Amino acid sequence: MKITNANRHQAPEIAPLIMAAMNHECCQNFAGANHSLEEFEQVMTQLVGMDNSQYSYQNTLVALDDKGRVAGICVGYDGARLHELREAFIKLARDTFHIDYSSMDDETTAGEFYIDSVAVRPDCRHQGIATALMKETLHKASEKGFRRVGLLVDKGNPKAEQLYTSLGFIYHNDTFWGGHPMKHLQYITNFDF
């Protein structure tokens, strides 16, 4: 397994993994009742291929399997840039789904490196890929000078929460995102990786 920065051409492989991290119920909620998950995936693929989007390939680390295919992803960015990076999603959602998400709640803040999405292909799970991606993302955040790394975990996903707490993330507060009650976890350290 090799962990590296994503490339634009990997967008079709990355988008479904981001959707898996969001969960399909949440994706359908964003697409609305009149649109399909396939349409949402097309929007996500466009967003991954953009330079200035929260889901951009530029914000994504990928784990590649022995055939060079994307086995897992971790998307993360400076929380201070959330509004700027979210604009692409707001525009595409408005144009495609005719829904305005400009008043959506913030999932991160300035001063926090935010891990937006972590996912591993089903056939590659239980091989330590998510842990390796998370550790590399923590290292990346450290190199950028961040002391706090945050993420949201669905309260209905205790396995994911267990992974994050095993890496040193601690409970920060409760929040609500994408129609689900979430926990905001943070990693605060001097980054001794």
Side-chain angles (χ1 to χ4, degrees), residues 22-189:
M22 294 171 80
N23 90 37
H24 287 155
E25 180 184 329
C26 178
C27 295
Q28 187 63 64
N29 184 46
F30 279 127
N34 298 322
H35 297 278
S36 67
L37 284 174
E38 290 78 18
E39 290 171 289
F40 189 78
E41 185 172 334
Q42 290 170 2
V43 166
M44 291 304 296
T45 301
Q46 289 179 59
L47 291 168
V48 174
M50 293 178 176
D51 291 336
N52 200 31
S53 152
Q54 67 194 100
Y55 303 110
S56 173
Y57 70 95
Q58 293 183 343
N59 298 326
T60 305
L61 291 176
V62 292
L64 303 176
D65 66 15
D66 57 358
K67 295 180 180 171
R69 297 173 302 183
V70 175
I73 56 101
C74 188
V75 179
Y77 48 84
D78 179 351
R81 296 187 63 211
L82 175 65
H83 290 201
E84 166 200 345
L85 295 172
R86 188 185 275 166
E87 281 302 314
F89 172 78
I90 291 169
K91 181 180 182 334
L92 276 175
R94 194 179 293 135
D95 293 349
T96 307
F97 308 129
H98 312 292
I99 301 172
D100 183 2
Y101 287 110
S102 58
S103 62
M104 185 182 344
D105 290 339
D106 293 349
E107 60 258 40
T108 185
T109 60
E112 177 179 82
F113 188 85
Y114 182 65
I115 297 177
D116 189 290
S117 307
V118 179
V120 175
R121 253 184 19 226
D123 63 312
C124 296
R125 291 181 183 153
H126 310 293
Q127 298 176 28
I129 294 172
T131 299
L133 283 163
M134 292 290 294
K135 286 182 177 180
E136 187 61 29
T137 299
L138 292 172
H139 181 73
K140 179 179 170 181
S142 172
E143 287 180 340
K144 292 178 179 283
F146 287 90
R147 291 221 351 101
R148 291 185 300 138
V149 178
L151 56 81
L152 298 185
V153 62
D154 193 310
K155 288 185 177 182
N157 192 349
K159 285 187 177 185
E161 184 175 355
Q162 184 179 23
L163 167 65
Y164 305 142
T165 57
S166 75
L167 290 169
F169 282 82
I170 58 172
Y171 173 82
H172 182 66
N173 63 1
D174 287 330
T175 190
F176 199 76
W177 186 86
H180 292 272
M182 309 287 261
K183 289 183 183 179
H184 182 188
L185 306 181
Q186 282 189 332
Y187 187 94
I188 303 169
T189 185

